[in-house]
Amino acid sequence: MKILSIAVPCYNSQEYMEHCIDTLLVGKERVEIIIVDDGSKDDTAKIADDLAAKYPTIIKAVHQENGGHGEAVNTGIKNATGVFFKVVDSDDWLGEEAFLKLLDRLEMFTNHGQDIVNVPDLILCNYIYDKVGVKHKKVINYKGYLPLERTFTWNDMRKMPPGKYMTMHACIYRTEVLRNIGLVLPKHTFYVDNIYVFQPLPFVKNLYYLDIDLYHYFIGRDDQSVNEKIMIKRLDQQARVNRIMIDTLSQYDKSNAKCTEYMYSYLEIITAITTVLAILSHTPEHLAIKDELWQYMKNTDEEIYHKIRHSLVGRAVNMPGKIGQSALLGIYKLAQRLYGFN
């Protein structure tokens, strides 16, 4: 039995995918690496097939018509046989020592006779903003907010600040959780990693935090989807993801108070990002997307709208006038320097 399935979505990734795969092969037979070639036009497909032929018991190469990052993740979930599931983008990589520690811990959870009640549905590890040209890389960890190295529930969490929210880079889900909820990410849409993390949360009963610097999140290519200019250009897709998250929270029964509190915080952050990007653009088209998003939230669920609109973050991103917008953009630039994103 494979302990961990790792999906590697690839689109025209010939320049860097082999480095990513090399770091995953450290796990040897305990891992399953699913390379999903998402209709690439370069040599990605050939590289994937060559690697699968070289490591037939570890690597699967799956080819599909271009459907975007979300569809590649969907394909990874469909093909996964491991107990746990992780996504590693083809331009990112895992730290060798940390990866081996993670596998040892996952192996402990999958030992015969392990009480299934204590097997976590979601495991969190630290990730690193590996930004080009930056000497001291920013590490995002959850120390002080999540219990260390023990299975815990939502009630054991402390409220996390905006810069600490869970991302795809930090998360390893139990595969069965993703399958049981029928998670399907939208095609041809960027930024669906937020849906991937967000939608399963109400179904997560047990969590586990392993304080290791596992995931190296590469930032620096001009064509990356998280490049600020590209995010503004694709603001309609960011807003689409934002609306799906609103729908998810609205439809969830909110019976778990601490999980609900965290989901509100997460939605606040994503809505703030959408709003700030629209203001950065200064174009009528993007400002209209911002206004339509807030109106959509109000029309969909007034309780969600009032809680987020009147929260500290909600008030900050909706400060009126040019002075308010200037203050908001100043806060945004400070956050960029503190956390090293895009």
Side-chain angles (χ1 to χ4, degrees):
M1 177 171 52
K2 297 291 185 179
I3 298 172
L4 178 65
S5 293
I6 304 173
V8 184
C10 294
Y11 178 72
N12 293 346
S13 304
Q14 66 177 23
E15 301 299 329
Y16 38 79
M17 61 185 288
E18 288 181 271
H19 173 244
C20 171
I21 302 301
D22 283 345
T23 70
L24 307 182
L25 285 166
V26 169
K28 298 182 179 177
E29 295 295 336
R30 292 190 286 180
V31 302
E32 170 184 62
I33 303 168
I34 307 165
I35 304 174
V36 183
D37 164 36
D38 188 42
S40 299
K41 307 298 184 185
D42 63 1
D43 284 338
T44 293
K46 182 180 183 304
I47 294 169
D49 286 338
D50 289 346
L51 288 167
K54 188 175 181 180
Y55 303 98
T57 61
I58 300 174
I59 295 179
K60 294 179 183 178
V62 184
H63 307 283
Q64 64 183 32
E65 292 184 6
N66 180 257
H69 187 266
E71 182 67 358
V73 174
N74 295 338
T75 298
I77 295 170
K78 287 175 188 174
N79 284 273
T81 63
V83 178
F84 296 95
F85 183 84
K86 183 159 184 62
V87 180
V88 178
D89 288 334
S90 59
D91 54 350
D92 299 333
W93 63 95
L94 302 186
E96 178 176 337
E97 184 179 343
F99 187 30
L100 291 174
K101 286 182 180 178
L102 169 66
L103 290 173
D104 288 343
R105 196 55 50 92
L106 296 184
E107 196 166 38
M108 180 188 77
F109 292 133
T110 56
N111 280 343
H112 293 297
Q114 173 71 38
D115 184 355
I116 193 68
V117 172
N118 291 319
V119 175
D121 299 316
L122 173 59
I123 295 142
L124 294 153
C125 300
N126 308 334
Y127 64 96
I128 303 143
Y129 281 113
D130 217 307
K131 194 168 186 177
V132 171
V134 176
K135 184 177 180 181
H136 299 290
K137 313 295 186 183
K138 180 68 179 178
V139 178
I140 303 299
N141 65 63
Y142 303 96
K143 286 184 284 190
Y145 301 96
L146 304 181
L148 276 169
E149 301 192 14
R150 69 172 177 87
T151 303
F152 62 92
T153 68
W154 291 101
N155 289 332
D156 300 312
M157 290 175 54
R158 289 182 57 201
K159 185 174 176 63
M160 293 190 285
K164 298 282 186 182
Y165 73 100
M166 301 173 192
T167 66
M168 181 180 274
H169 320 305
C171 292
I172 300 113
Y173 274 111
R174 192 160 58 86
T175 309
E176 188 179 352
V177 171
L178 302 178
R179 290 228 175 96
N180 285 347
I181 68 168
L183 179 70
V184 178
L185 303 179
K187 291 184 177 182
H188 301 296
T189 305
F190 286 89
Y191 317 118
V192 294
D193 51 318
N194 290 305
I195 301 172
Y196 171 85
V197 176
F198 194 74
Q199 284 193 342
L201 293 178
F203 305 92
V204 168
K205 306 304 179 190
N206 298 312
L207 304 90
Y208 192 95
Y209 170 46
L210 188 57
D211 181 21
I212 54 173
D213 299 345
L214 177 68
Y215 194 106
H216 289 257
Y217 175 30
F218 177 78
I219 301 178
R221 291 201 334 271
D222 290 338
D223 64 340
Q224 274 187 298
S225 61
V226 294
N227 179 287
E228 185 179 286
K229 291 179 180 178
I230 291 178
M231 287 190 75
I232 291 172
K233 184 178 178 181
R234 294 172 177 159
L235 190 66
D236 59 328
Q237 297 184 51
Q238 169 75 14
R240 181 186 180 193
V241 168
N242 211 148
R243 289 194 296 273
I244 291 171
M245 293 174 71
I246 292 167
D247 293 339
T248 297
L249 184 54
S250 178
Q251 293 160 12
Y252 161 49
D253 66 11
K254 304 178 183 61
S255 58
N256 187 321
K258 290 296 292 263
C259 177
T260 302
E261 179 185 7
Y262 176 75
M263 291 178 76
Y264 267 107
S265 297
Y266 197 148
L267 183 58
E268 280 178 19
I269 293 161
I270 301 306
T271 307
I273 291 169
T274 308
T275 302
V276 170
L277 290 172
I279 293 170
L280 280 170
S281 168
H282 293 298
T283 65
E285 175 193 358
H286 289 143
L287 292 173
I289 289 173
K290 169 184 73 74
D291 293 341
E292 288 165 6
L293 175 66
W294 283 98
Q295 189 61 48
Y296 180 85
M297 186 187 295
K298 186 175 184 180
N299 293 342
T300 301
D301 194 312
E302 287 209 10
E303 181 181 1
I304 292 175
Y305 172 78
H306 285 296
K307 282 190 177 182
I308 291 183
R309 178 62 182 82
H310 298 294
S311 69
L312 183 62
V313 172
R315 286 196 290 264
V317 299
N318 285 287
M319 289 186 287
K322 291 184 178 180
I323 294 176
Q325 289 188 5
S326 295
L328 172 61
L329 297 181
I331 294 169
Y332 173 74
K333 295 298 181 184
L334 176 61
Q336 273 185 320
R337 288 197 294 273
L338 287 174
Y339 295 108
F341 59 86
N342 63 29

